[in-house]
Amino acid sequence: MSYPLWPHTGDPFRTGAGARRAITAEWESKGLGSRPRPSASIGALPAEHIEVLASARPDVVSFHFGIENRAVVAELKAAGITVVASATTVEEARLVELAGADVVIAQGLEAGGHRGTFTGVDASGQAGLFSLLPQIVDAVELPVVAAGGIAEGRSIAAAFMLGASAVQIGSAFLRCPEANVPEAYRQVVAEATDTSTRISHKQSGRPARMIRNRLFDVLEEVEGAPQPFPTQLDLTDPLEDAGDADAMLLFAGQSACLARSLPAADLIAALAQETTERLAQGSPIRRGSISPTSPPE
Ligand SMILES: Cc1cc2nc3c(=O)[nH]c(=O)nc-3n(C[C@H](O)[C@H](O)[C@H](O)COP(=O)(O)O)c2cc1C
């Protein structure tokens, strides 16, 4: 069993002509030179790739757009590798477990970057982490990692309360100096709000959450399908070299606005301390909010 592809696949030379024209215009307006040739669309992981992984023996291999079949997963595990995979629905979490993975990541709808979706469920039918996490925890025996919208000790503690064994955090690190993003990107993240992001497949060829900007709207308005992933991404990603925050893809999640400008190690230390304090405190009711012991007047 293998579900590596979202339905949007195809010949990168034959599909997405409108998107290609729109991206060409962006390249030309930025003076970025000639566009790179489109690459082939992705398929199942090649055998050579698996061999390299099995011999390099990283501690963890994480699958994002679907998990490989049981034989491949078993080969990786036999090499001492912990196999992890993302799921955006309960059914996907069950498929990850059936494939023999060690850990499943519950990726809530809040998450920045690409949806790990591999069963074709539309994003409008996918759950936020608060709903998804306990449902996945109940559906599988595997340890569950919570992902999506987590940026502070409050949300880490909440994830643990909902049954997570660990959390995966992306967007909260975008303002760290270690994050490999242009300064203009970092600046937009600093100014983001709760309503800044959207999910669409039209910018990279697969559904992903990002901060809406001019490039987002330009590609959203192109008629017809984009080029298949990763061809479309190969062409849109390098636009960030021009340094214009309105003409680059700004992958980020709904809690990007909570990202702090701190070195990554300091952020990790702060998150650990906040989580410990929050869990020790128990009730997270804010001062001034309605509490069971002080009903509103
Ligand atoms: C800029 C960015 C790049 C990402 N790249 C990857 C990636 O290459 N592989 C992957 O498995 N997940 C990737 N993710 C998704 C994260 O694994 C995770 O699902 C997400 O960041 C969690 O939500 P959060 O961004 O709200 O913390 C990326 C996320 C962001 C924000």
Side-chain angles (χ1 to χ4, degrees):
M1 183 170 51
S2 181
Y3 296 86
L5 294 174
W6 188 67
H8 193 72
T9 58
D11 180 343
F13 294 93
R14 290 178 195 277
T15 59
R20 209 156 41 243
R21 268 197 301 277
I23 297 165
T24 302
E26 294 290 330
W27 273 80
E28 285 172 357
S29 76
K30 300 289 175 206
L32 286 171
S34 56
R35 280 185 303 117
R37 297 277 296 161
S39 58
S41 58
I42 53 161
L45 218 47
E48 302 80 32
H49 198 130
I50 307 290
E51 276 167 32
V52 169
L53 287 172
S55 66
R57 295 174 180 239
D59 290 337
V60 176
V61 165
S62 180
F63 290 93
H64 198 58
F65 299 131
I67 181 135
E68 279 295 328
N69 61 48
R70 285 188 70 85
V72 169
V73 172
E75 192 180 337
L76 295 174
K77 287 170 74 170
I81 297 167
T82 299
V83 176
V84 179
S86 293
T88 59
T89 64
V90 169
E91 186 200 357
E92 287 175 0
R94 289 203 178 103
L95 291 169
V96 166
E97 185 166 63
L98 276 174
D102 297 296
V103 176
V104 61
I105 300 168
Q107 191 192 34
L109 197 63
E110 306 91 331
H114 285 95
R115 309 290 308 142
T117 310
F118 56 96
T119 54
V121 179
D122 187 73
S124 64
Q126 294 170 16
L129 190 64
F130 223 78
S131 290
L132 183 67
L133 178 57
Q135 293 184 56
I136 288 184
V137 167
D138 286 349
V140 299
E141 301 285 323
L142 297 179
V144 181
V145 175
I150 297 173
E152 305 174 310
R154 282 184 293 190
S155 36
I156 297 173
F160 288 147
M161 299 303 272
L162 293 173
S165 298
V167 297
Q168 184 190 59
I169 300 177
S171 304
F173 287 93
L174 284 170
R175 295 184 64 200
C176 297
E178 292 87 348
N180 187 20
V181 296
E183 198 45 46
Y185 189 146
R186 231 184 284 278
Q187 195 51 44
V188 176
V189 171
E191 290 161 12
T193 70
D194 59 324
T195 60
S196 296
T197 67
R198 299 286 185 279
I199 293 178
S200 173
H201 67 285
K202 289 231 172 169
Q203 289 70 22
S204 75
R206 285 189 82 116
R209 185 179 289 283
M210 65 203 82
I211 295 174
R212 182 181 170 198
N213 62 359
R214 188 187 59 78
L215 180 63
F216 180 95
D217 288 344
V218 165
L219 294 173
E220 202 63 10
E221 281 159 21
V222 170
E223 283 196 15
Q227 299 159 101
F229 182 93
T231 294
Q232 176 97 350
L233 187 61
D234 285 348
L235 300 186
T236 46
D237 233 9
L239 284 169
E240 72 177 29
D241 293 347
D244 175 1
D246 245 343
M248 62 176 79
L249 299 187
L250 301 163
F251 295 114
Q254 289 180 322
S255 295
C257 47
L258 299 174
R260 285 166 264 185
S261 177
L262 282 177
D266 294 353
L267 178 56
I268 294 270
L271 292 172
Q273 189 185 341
E274 290 165 10
T275 306
T276 307
E277 285 171 8
R278 184 59 74 177
L279 289 172
Q281 237 172 26
S283 169
I285 292 173
R286 266 189 308 174
R287 203 152 26 113
S289 67
I290 298 167
S291 86
T293 51
S294 58
E297 291 173 7

